[in-house]
Amino acid sequence: MALIITVTSGKGGVGKTTITANVGISLALLGNKVCLIDADFGLRNLDIPLGLSNRVIYDIEDYLKGNCQLKQVIIKDKRFPELSFIPGSKGNSPLSVDPKAFRELVKDISTDYDYVLIDSPAGIETGFKIAASAADEAIVVTSTYRTSIQDADRVIGLLEAFIQHPPQLIINMEMGEENRDLYSEAPSSILHTLQIKLLGIIRHDPEIVQSVQKGIPLALNASNDNGLRFRHLARNLMYDENKPFISVNSEEKKRTKLPFFKWKFF
């Protein structure tokens, strides 16, 4: 039976979908059977960072409305036999989705996987509630900006109504002390405000945007610092760890081929 995790955020634009794709890939690289579900109803885009857009024929709403079989919706990633993907719908409101039918779908597929990651809509409206009600646990994604942190804090409070376990946190697009401006917070300050466990930190990196446009998840790039960080996030998630990340410089990366779990945050 899979551990079902909804990946959510208080507002859009913080990289939640990119996080979902890369953590899912990282879990699959660790040998887990993983299914990613795009539950951002009406704004499907998880297929883009996964590089699977051209393979979408049916979507989750087609199945929920009885227009196709479940096996016709599930896309197997040919690059990674352990990874599957269920695309969300485009152009339809979350109000058109039956929450009970969605929960039954997630429960049915969970028997075939180790992890099911649900890419939740940002915010606190109907789509968020549907995704949260189907999950066992939650990951909250925030950027370092105060507006994002405030919205994340509100989402954390709302998750208590749906999920028994405390949510875990991923800080995305962290600029580093040398580039931090007046409107952003240091990771230590964010943790003090949100008071939840930190899975890890992804640094601001133009290569992440490029990887999304190419449809090649950055987690596949072990020579990129954030590529290693995504893998470390997955390992922290698997083993319920909270180890910090220690990056290595490029020369060390060239000389050594250490397993990725030996790198730690900070």
Side-chain angles (χ1 to χ4, degrees), residues 19-64:
I19 293 287
T20 304
N22 281 278
V23 172
I25 288 283
S26 298
L27 287 168
L29 290 172
L30 277 165
N32 299 285
K33 291 192 68 176
V34 181
C35 185
L36 305 181
I37 301 177
D38 190 342
D40 200 345
F41 309 106
L43 293 171
R44 181 185 79 214
N45 55 18
L46 182 55
D47 52 296
I48 297 173
L50 290 171
L52 296 174
S53 300
N54 292 336
R55 296 191 55 201
V56 176
I57 299 175
Y58 296 102
D59 61 41
I60 192 169
E61 195 159 1
D62 289 319
Y63 171 73
L64 294 176

Coordinates of all heavy atoms in Angstrom, one line a residue, residues 19-64:
I19 N 8.7 20.8 -8.1 CA 9.1 20.0 -6.9 C 8.5 18.6 -7.0 O 9.2 17.6 -6.8 CB 8.6 20.7 -5.6 CG1 9.4 22.0 -5.4 CG2 8.8 19.7 -4.4 CD1 10.8 21.8 -5.0
T20 N 7.2 18.5 -7.3 CA 6.5 17.2 -7.3 C 7.2 16.3 -8.4 O 7.4 15.1 -8.1 CB 5.0 17.4 -7.7 OG1 4.4 18.3 -6.8 CG2 4.3 16.0 -7.7
A21 N 7.5 16.8 -9.6 CA 8.1 16.0 -10.6 C 9.4 15.5 -10.2 O 9.8 14.3 -10.4 CB 8.2 16.9 -11.9
N22 N 10.3 16.4 -9.6 CA 11.6 16.0 -9.3 C 11.7 15.1 -8.1 O 12.6 14.2 -8.0 CB 12.5 17.2 -9.1 CG 12.9 17.8 -10.4 OD1 13.9 17.4 -11.0 ND2 12.2 18.9 -10.8
V23 N 10.9 15.3 -7.1 CA 10.9 14.4 -5.9 C 10.3 13.0 -6.4 O 10.9 12.0 -6.0 CB 10.0 14.9 -4.8 CG1 9.8 13.9 -3.7 CG2 10.6 16.2 -4.2
G24 N 9.3 13.0 -7.2 CA 8.8 11.7 -7.8 C 9.9 11.0 -8.5 O 10.1 9.7 -8.3
I25 N 10.6 11.7 -9.4 CA 11.7 11.0 -10.1 C 12.8 10.5 -9.2 O 13.3 9.4 -9.3 CB 12.4 12.0 -11.1 CG1 11.4 12.3 -12.3 CG2 13.7 11.5 -11.6 CD1 11.4 11.3 -13.3
S26 N 13.1 11.3 -8.1 CA 14.1 10.9 -7.2 C 13.7 9.6 -6.4 O 14.5 8.7 -6.1 CB 14.4 12.0 -6.2 OG 14.9 13.1 -6.9
L27 N 12.4 9.6 -6.0 CA 11.9 8.4 -5.3 C 12.0 7.1 -6.2 O 12.4 6.0 -5.8 CB 10.5 8.6 -4.9 CG 10.3 9.5 -3.7 CD1 8.8 9.9 -3.5 CD2 10.8 8.9 -2.4
A28 N 11.7 7.3 -7.5 CA 11.8 6.2 -8.5 C 13.3 5.8 -8.7 O 13.5 4.6 -8.8 CB 11.2 6.6 -9.8
L29 N 14.2 6.7 -8.7 CA 15.6 6.4 -8.8 C 16.1 5.6 -7.6 O 17.1 4.8 -7.7 CB 16.4 7.7 -8.9 CG 16.3 8.5 -10.2 CD1 17.0 9.8 -10.2 CD2 16.8 7.6 -11.4
L30 N 15.4 5.7 -6.5 CA 15.8 5.0 -5.3 C 15.1 3.6 -5.3 O 15.2 2.8 -4.3 CB 15.3 5.7 -4.0 CG 16.3 6.8 -3.5 CD1 15.7 7.7 -2.5 CD2 17.5 6.1 -2.9
G31 N 14.4 3.2 -6.4 CA 13.9 1.9 -6.5 C 12.4 1.8 -6.1 O 11.9 0.7 -6.1
N32 N 11.8 2.9 -5.8 CA 10.4 2.8 -5.4 C 9.4 2.9 -6.6 O 9.8 3.5 -7.6 CB 10.0 4.0 -4.5 CG 10.8 4.0 -3.2 OD1 10.6 3.3 -2.3 ND2 11.8 4.9 -3.2
K33 N 8.3 2.2 -6.5 CA 7.2 2.4 -7.5 C 6.4 3.6 -7.2 O 5.9 3.7 -6.1 CB 6.3 1.2 -7.5 CG 7.0 -0.1 -8.1 CD 6.0 -1.2 -8.3 CE 5.1 -0.8 -9.5 NZ 4.2 -1.9 -9.9
V34 N 6.4 4.6 -8.1 CA 5.8 5.9 -7.8 C 4.8 6.3 -8.9 O 5.0 6.0 -10.1 CB 6.9 7.0 -7.8 CG1 6.4 8.4 -7.5 CG2 8.1 6.6 -6.9
C35 N 3.7 6.8 -8.4 CA 2.7 7.4 -9.3 C 2.5 8.8 -9.0 O 2.2 9.2 -7.8 CB 1.3 6.6 -9.2 SG 0.1 7.2 -10.4
L36 N 2.6 9.7 -10.0 CA 2.3 11.1 -9.8 C 0.9 11.5 -10.4 O 0.6 11.1 -11.5 CB 3.4 11.9 -10.5 CG 4.8 11.6 -10.1 CD1 5.8 12.5 -10.9 CD2 5.1 11.8 -8.6
I37 N 0.1 12.2 -9.6 CA -1.2 12.5 -10.0 C -1.3 14.1 -10.1 O -1.0 14.8 -9.1 CB -2.3 12.0 -9.1 CG1 -2.2 10.5 -9.0 CG2 -3.7 12.4 -9.5 CD1 -3.2 9.9 -8.0
D38 N -1.7 14.6 -11.3 CA -1.9 16.0 -11.4 C -3.3 16.3 -11.0 O -4.3 16.0 -11.8 CB -1.6 16.4 -12.9 CG -1.6 17.9 -13.1 OD1 -2.1 18.6 -12.2 OD2 -1.1 18.4 -14.1
A39 N -3.5 16.9 -9.9 CA -4.8 17.2 -9.4 C -5.1 18.7 -9.4 O -6.0 19.2 -8.8 CB -5.0 16.7 -7.9
D40 N -4.3 19.4 -10.2 CA -4.5 20.8 -10.5 C -5.6 21.0 -11.6 O -5.3 21.3 -12.7 CB -3.2 21.5 -10.8 CG -3.3 23.0 -10.6 OD1 -4.4 23.5 -10.4 OD2 -2.2 23.7 -10.6
F41 N -6.8 20.6 -11.2 CA -7.9 20.5 -12.2 C -8.1 21.8 -12.9 O -8.3 22.9 -12.3 CB -9.2 20.1 -11.5 CG -9.0 18.9 -10.6 CD1 -9.0 19.1 -9.2 CD2 -8.9 17.6 -11.1 CE1 -8.8 17.9 -8.4 CE2 -8.7 16.5 -10.3 CZ -8.7 16.7 -8.9
G42 N -8.1 21.7 -14.2 CA -8.3 22.9 -15.1 C -7.0 23.6 -15.5 O -7.0 24.4 -16.4
L43 N -5.9 23.3 -14.8 CA -4.6 23.9 -15.1 C -3.5 22.9 -15.2 O -2.4 23.0 -14.6 CB -4.3 25.0 -14.0 CG -5.2 26.2 -14.0 CD1 -4.9 27.0 -12.7 CD2 -5.1 27.0 -15.2
R44 N -3.8 21.8 -15.9 CA -2.8 20.7 -16.0 C -1.5 21.2 -16.5 O -1.4 21.8 -17.5 CB -3.3 19.6 -17.0 CG -2.4 18.4 -17.1 CD -3.0 17.5 -18.2 NE -2.6 18.0 -19.5 CZ -3.4 17.8 -20.6 NH1 -4.6 17.2 -20.4 NH2 -3.0 18.2 -21.7
N45 N -0.4 20.9 -15.7 CA 1.0 21.2 -16.2 C 2.1 20.3 -15.7 O 3.2 20.5 -16.0 CB 1.3 22.7 -16.0 CG 1.2 23.1 -14.5 OD1 1.1 22.2 -13.6 ND2 1.1 24.4 -14.3
L46 N 1.7 19.3 -14.9 CA 2.7 18.4 -14.4 C 3.4 17.6 -15.5 O 4.5 17.1 -15.4 CB 2.1 17.4 -13.3 CG 3.0 16.4 -12.6 CD1 4.2 17.1 -12.0 CD2 2.3 15.6 -11.6
D47 N 2.7 17.4 -16.6 CA 3.2 16.7 -17.7 C 4.4 17.4 -18.3 O 5.3 16.8 -19.0 CB 2.2 16.5 -18.8 CG 1.5 17.8 -19.2 OD1 0.8 18.3 -18.3 OD2 1.6 18.2 -20.3
I48 N 4.5 18.7 -18.2 CA 5.6 19.5 -18.8 C 6.9 19.3 -18.2 O 7.9 18.9 -18.9 CB 5.2 21.0 -18.7 CG1 3.9 21.3 -19.5 CG2 6.4 21.9 -19.3 CD1 3.4 22.7 -19.4
P49 N 7.2 19.4 -16.9 CA 8.5 19.1 -16.3 C 8.8 17.6 -16.4 O 10.0 17.3 -16.4 CB 8.4 19.5 -14.9 CG 6.9 19.5 -14.5 CD 6.3 19.9 -15.8
L50 N 7.8 16.8 -16.5 CA 8.1 15.3 -16.7 C 8.5 15.0 -18.2 O 9.0 13.9 -18.4 CB 6.9 14.5 -16.3 CG 6.6 14.5 -14.8 CD1 5.2 13.8 -14.6 CD2 7.7 13.8 -14.0
G51 N 8.2 15.9 -19.1 CA 8.5 15.6 -20.5 C 7.5 14.6 -21.1 O 7.9 13.9 -22.0
L52 N 6.2 14.6 -20.6 CA 5.3 13.6 -21.0 C 4.1 14.2 -21.7 O 3.1 13.5 -21.9 CB 4.8 12.7 -19.8 CG 5.9 11.9 -19.1 CD1 5.3 11.2 -17.9 CD2 6.5 10.8 -20.1
S53 N 4.1 15.4 -22.1 CA 3.0 16.1 -22.7 C 2.4 15.4 -24.0 O 1.2 15.3 -24.2 CB 3.3 17.6 -23.0 OG 3.7 18.2 -21.8
N54 N 3.4 14.9 -24.8 CA 3.0 14.3 -26.1 C 2.3 13.0 -25.9 O 1.7 12.4 -26.9 CB 4.2 14.2 -27.0 CG 4.7 15.5 -27.5 OD1 4.0 16.5 -27.5 ND2 6.0 15.5 -27.8
R55 N 2.3 12.4 -24.7 CA 1.8 11.1 -24.5 C 0.4 11.2 -23.8 O -0.2 10.1 -23.6 CB 2.7 10.2 -23.7 CG 4.1 10.0 -24.4 CD 4.9 8.9 -23.7 NE 4.1 7.7 -23.5 CZ 4.4 6.8 -22.6 NH1 5.5 6.9 -21.9 NH2 3.7 5.7 -22.5
V56 N -0.1 12.4 -23.5 CA -1.4 12.5 -22.9 C -2.5 12.4 -23.9 O -2.6 13.1 -24.8 CB -1.5 13.9 -22.1 CG1 -2.9 14.0 -21.6 CG2 -0.4 14.0 -21.1
I57 N -3.3 11.3 -23.7 CA -4.5 11.1 -24.6 C -5.8 11.3 -23.7 O -6.6 12.1 -24.0 CB -4.5 9.7 -25.2 CG1 -3.2 9.6 -26.1 CG2 -5.8 9.5 -26.0 CD1 -3.1 8.2 -26.7
Y58 N -5.8 10.6 -22.6 CA -6.9 10.7 -21.7 C -6.4 11.3 -20.4 O -5.2 11.2 -20.1 CB -7.6 9.3 -21.4 CG -8.2 8.7 -22.5 CD1 -7.6 7.6 -23.2 CD2 -9.5 9.0 -23.0 CE1 -8.2 7.0 -24.3 CE2 -10.1 8.4 -24.1 CZ -9.4 7.4 -24.7 OH -10.0 6.8 -25.8
D59 N -7.3 12.0 -19.7 CA -6.9 12.6 -18.4 C -7.8 12.1 -17.3 O -8.7 11.3 -17.5 CB -6.9 14.1 -18.5 CG -8.3 14.7 -18.8 OD1 -9.3 14.2 -18.2 OD2 -8.4 15.7 -19.6
I60 N -7.5 12.6 -16.1 CA -8.1 12.0 -14.9 C -9.7 12.3 -14.9 O -10.4 11.4 -14.5 CB -7.5 12.7 -13.6 CG1 -8.0 11.9 -12.4 CG2 -7.9 14.2 -13.5 CD1 -7.2 12.3 -11.1
E61 N -10.1 13.4 -15.5 CA -11.5 13.6 -15.6 C -12.2 12.7 -16.6 O -13.4 12.3 -16.4 CB -11.8 15.1 -15.9 CG -13.2 15.5 -15.7 CD -13.4 17.0 -15.5 OE1 -12.4 17.7 -15.7 OE2 -14.5 17.4 -15.2
D62 N -11.5 12.3 -17.6 CA -12.1 11.3 -18.6 C -12.4 10.0 -17.8 O -13.5 9.4 -18.0 CB -11.1 11.0 -19.7 CG -10.9 12.1 -20.7 OD1 -11.9 12.7 -21.0 OD2 -9.8 12.4 -21.1
Y63 N -11.5 9.6 -16.9 CA -11.8 8.4 -16.1 C -12.9 8.6 -15.1 O -13.8 7.7 -15.0 CB -10.5 7.9 -15.4 CG -10.8 6.8 -14.4 CD1 -11.0 5.5 -14.9 CD2 -10.8 7.0 -13.1 CE1 -11.3 4.5 -14.0 CE2 -11.1 6.0 -12.2 CZ -11.3 4.7 -12.7 OH -11.6 3.7 -11.8
L64 N -12.9 9.7 -14.4 CA -13.9 9.9 -13.4 C -15.3 10.1 -14.0 O -16.3 9.7 -13.3 CB -13.6 11.2 -12.6 CG -12.3 11.1 -11.7 CD1 -12.0 12.5 -11.1 CD2 -12.4 10.1 -10.7

